[in-house]
Amino acid sequence: MSTLTASRSLTAADLKANLHDIQDNVVAPILLRFGRHIFLKFTDGTKSREWLQRMSHRVNARQAEHGTGFTVNIGFTHQGLRVLGLTQRSLDSFPEAFRVGMQGRARAVGDVGPHTPEHWEGGLGSSDICAMAWLRTDSDEGREEATRIIREEIEVTGGVEIRFIQDTKALAHENGIGSEGEHFGFADPISQPPIEGADAPFYPGDGVLEKDGTWRALKPGEFVLGYEDEIGSAGTQMPEPFELRLNGTYMVFRKLYQDVAAFRRYLATAAQSLYGSDDQHHRDLVAAKIMGRWPSGCPLDLSPEQDDPAIAADPNRRNNFTYEGDDKGLRCPIGSHLRRSNPRATPLKRATAVRRHRLVRRGVEYGPHLEDGALEDDGIDRGLVNLFIQADIERQFEFVQTEWMKGGEFLGLDPNEQDPINGVGGEGTQFSVPGAKRPFLFDLPTFVVVKGGEYLFVPGLNALKGIIEQKF
């Protein structure tokens, strides 16, 4: 490990030298298709630390036991850190959003109506949840074997209870981009913000757009604690001491149920309303207008009239766009999900730097696909588990939820116009589709429902050791 001090913000060069201390899935995804998210309650601090000690050698270790390859990572809620014995000074040094937790911040971020915590599963968001361990492996059998090992070690130490388990399976990896993709039928994931100093490919359109039209990676401090960010310093409130935060990050867990049948039914109705035809092309066009991309992943900004899988398949093209010249949303509706998530060069009515609100998203599907062509729900739970990674929950995740997803004023739309995918649907909702025969959709259903979530601190490996040894 390089010689580091708390007196300066670390640079991308420091990040490159310290990638080994950052937990997997933060700066680079874990490309193993089968996942399991195990939510834990710590009932005894001493015994919980003993369990962590036994588990810590597995974190970031792509190991094989009994013929099964898997990796384990772990993040903690504020309550979990309290039970583990962090000092009050360290506990108080965490930002308010993390201390309060997702359930306490639900109304502030727009988790109302069907999204409210009273409907959440497994005690998510409550004080019962102290940590989440997430497993990645290459088979369902591997997932079960890894879980068996964790359960056995809990039985040895005691002090830990499993409260909720959420499985995932990356369906889009079966055939690559352009295959079945996520449950609404879109290829995913397509784009991630590149991090300066990380060992990951950087394609045009993924990063920060400079005034000369070139793209660059984002500063590491936007996603990893202790490093310089886009304003030249570690500007967010940081947990103390320095060694606790170094190479750590915040992860937001969100379980999102997708009502696929309602989405499919609405596409037919909306296509007839907007274009006078509900044939497959116009249903796909409506879906693209809502999402901002065609099912293949090709962006509307590059191909507004029809899907172009060749663009989607080319990593140098599929994100290389800015919305320049489309201020009215004729190519891509201003309020579409993709454009809200990253407005790029879209003129905003409220001054803000887009680069300060980027998120790394690790999205993985859960549940099987609804049968092709089915327009009625089959009663099976399916959707998406999102893991959002950032250095500042309030400035990044919460800002995107409240400002960009839950309203339209920042884009010059009706203040009540929400994101058409993640918003709260119902009577009176609307979505603007400039250039269509009838340029508005009304009374959108709630296509996605929050089923639970957590705010987690994901420490670096040295900090994890310090937590176990009660150094903070």
Side-chain angles (χ1 to χ4, degrees):
M1 181 173 175
S2 60
T3 301
L4 305 172
T5 69
S7 62
R8 66 182 179 90
S9 298
L10 307 182
T11 66
D14 294 311
L15 181 76
K16 185 177 287 291
N18 288 284
L19 290 174
H20 65 278
D21 192 49
I22 300 171
Q23 289 202 47
D24 288 344
N25 224 32
V26 173
V27 298
I30 303 172
L31 298 178
L32 294 170
R33 288 180 55 209
F34 291 78
R36 175 162 287 172
H37 305 79
I38 304 175
F39 291 87
L40 305 162
K41 179 179 181 178
F42 298 152
T43 59
D44 181 285
T46 300
K47 292 179 179 179
S48 297
R49 289 192 301 274
E50 183 181 346
W51 175 76
L52 280 173
Q53 179 65 57
R54 297 175 66 92
M55 288 298 301
S56 61
H57 73 279
R58 305 183 192 281
V59 177
N60 278 20
R62 307 294 179 96
Q63 58 193 299
E65 296 187 32
H66 308 291
T68 298
F70 67 94
T71 185
V72 181
N73 294 91
I74 192 161
F76 305 97
T77 65
H78 194 255
Q79 173 66 9
L81 294 174
R82 183 185 303 279
V83 177
L84 289 172
L86 258 68
T87 65
Q88 193 62 47
R89 178 174 179 270
S90 287
L91 290 169
D92 291 345
S93 68
F94 282 91
E96 180 183 3
F98 174 70
R99 296 198 310 269
V100 172
M102 186 182 290
Q103 185 180 103
R105 304 278 285 187
R107 182 165 294 278
V109 300
D111 285 344
V112 298
H115 306 302
T116 54
E118 66 187 80
H119 303 303
W120 291 2
E121 299 175 347
L124 293 176
S126 74
S127 60
D128 273 358
I129 305 300
C130 293
M132 180 184 80
W134 62 100
L135 313 177
R136 293 293 183 269
T137 184
D138 57 5
S139 68
D140 187 56
E141 294 77 15
R143 187 161 52 191
E144 294 303 319
E145 178 64 16
T147 305
R148 183 191 65 78
I149 291 169
I150 289 177
R151 287 185 184 275
E152 284 184 352
E153 297 197 343
I154 289 176
E155 290 174 3
V156 170
T157 64
V160 180
E161 297 177 0
I162 294 177
R163 301 309 303 264
F164 181 69
I165 292 178
Q166 178 61 55
D167 286 350
T168 57
K169 180 183 177 183
L171 302 176
H173 291 180
E174 291 180 350
N175 300 305
I177 288 177
S179 66
E180 289 181 308
E182 55 78 52
H183 291 292
F184 288 151
F186 293 87
D188 183 57
I190 297 295
S191 174
Q192 293 287 358
I195 303 172
E196 187 179 345
D199 291 331
F202 173 25
Y203 300 111
D206 284 343
V208 175
L209 179 64
E210 298 282 47
K211 292 181 179 180
D212 63 0
T214 60
W215 299 90
R216 65 167 174 83
L218 283 98
K219 296 296 181 182
E222 294 296 314
F223 309 103
V224 185
L225 301 180
Y227 293 81
E228 65 177 353
D229 61 21
E230 286 292 322
I231 60 172
S233 65
T236 190
Q237 181 182 344
M238 295 285 180
E240 297 290 346
F242 177 75
E243 292 77 14
L244 174 60
R245 67 177 180 261
L246 179 61
N247 296 324
T249 191
Y250 294 105
M251 178 179 286
V252 173
F253 171 93
R254 299 273 277 186
K255 178 180 179 180
L256 304 174
Y257 165 75
Q258 293 176 262
D259 191 340
V260 179
F263 186 73
R264 291 176 180 175
R265 292 194 302 269
Y266 192 77
L267 293 183
T269 300
Q272 185 68 47
S273 174
L274 292 178
Y275 303 109
S277 170
D278 64 354
D279 63 18
Q280 187 61 52
H281 170 72
H282 286 98
R283 290 199 300 271
D284 286 347
L285 179 58
V286 172
K289 292 288 187 180
I290 288 173
M291 187 65 71
R293 288 189 189 272
W294 293 93
S296 71
C298 174
L300 275 176
D301 196 53
L302 297 182
S303 184
E305 299 300 326
Q306 62 184 11
D307 200 351
D308 190 337
I311 293 177
D314 185 347
N316 289 301
R317 299 176 65 196
R318 63 175 177 248
N319 290 309
N320 194 6
F321 61 93
T322 66
Y323 303 117
E324 185 176 0
D326 191 31
D327 293 356
K328 294 183 178 180
L330 292 173
R331 294 198 303 269
C332 179
I334 294 172
S336 66
H337 177 70
L338 180 70
R339 199 160 180 173
R340 286 173 176 271
S341 301
N342 182 8
R344 300 181 185 238
T346 301
L348 302 181
K349 303 304 179 182
R350 294 179 179 173
T352 187
V354 171
R355 68 185 189 277
R356 295 289 282 159
H357 308 294
R358 299 296 302 279
L359 294 158
V360 169
R361 182 180 74 91
R362 309 290 182 212
V364 190
E365 300 83 13
Y366 74 87
H369 279 293
L370 181 65
E371 182 181 354
D372 289 347
L375 296 178
E376 297 298 328
D377 186 60
D378 59 5
I380 298 176
D381 188 21
R382 61 175 52 85
L384 192 67
V385 164
N386 276 332
L387 304 178
F388 295 106
I389 295 161
Q390 66 264 281
D392 188 324
I393 292 172
E394 184 173 4
R395 171 168 56 81
Q396 290 165 277
F397 171 76
E398 291 191 344
F399 180 93
V400 170
Q401 286 294 303
T402 57
E403 293 290 320
W404 290 358
M405 294 291 156
K406 300 301 184 181
E409 191 172 5
F410 81 104
L411 290 165
L413 302 172
D414 186 289
N416 296 316
E417 183 169 331
Q418 297 187 24
D419 178 90
I421 294 292
N422 289 333
V424 178
E427 186 177 354
T429 56
Q430 68 180 52
F431 174 60
S432 307
V433 189
K437 182 179 179 181
R438 297 178 62 187
F440 288 97
L441 292 175
F442 296 100
D443 302 336
L444 284 77
T446 298
F447 297 123
V448 172
V449 178
V450 180
K451 304 293 283 186
E454 289 288 351
Y455 290 167
L456 302 160
F457 173 61
V458 181
L461 300 191
N462 283 319
L464 177 61
K465 180 180 179 182
I467 291 170
I468 294 168
E469 297 175 355
Q470 290 191 283
K471 291 183 176 180
F472 309 125

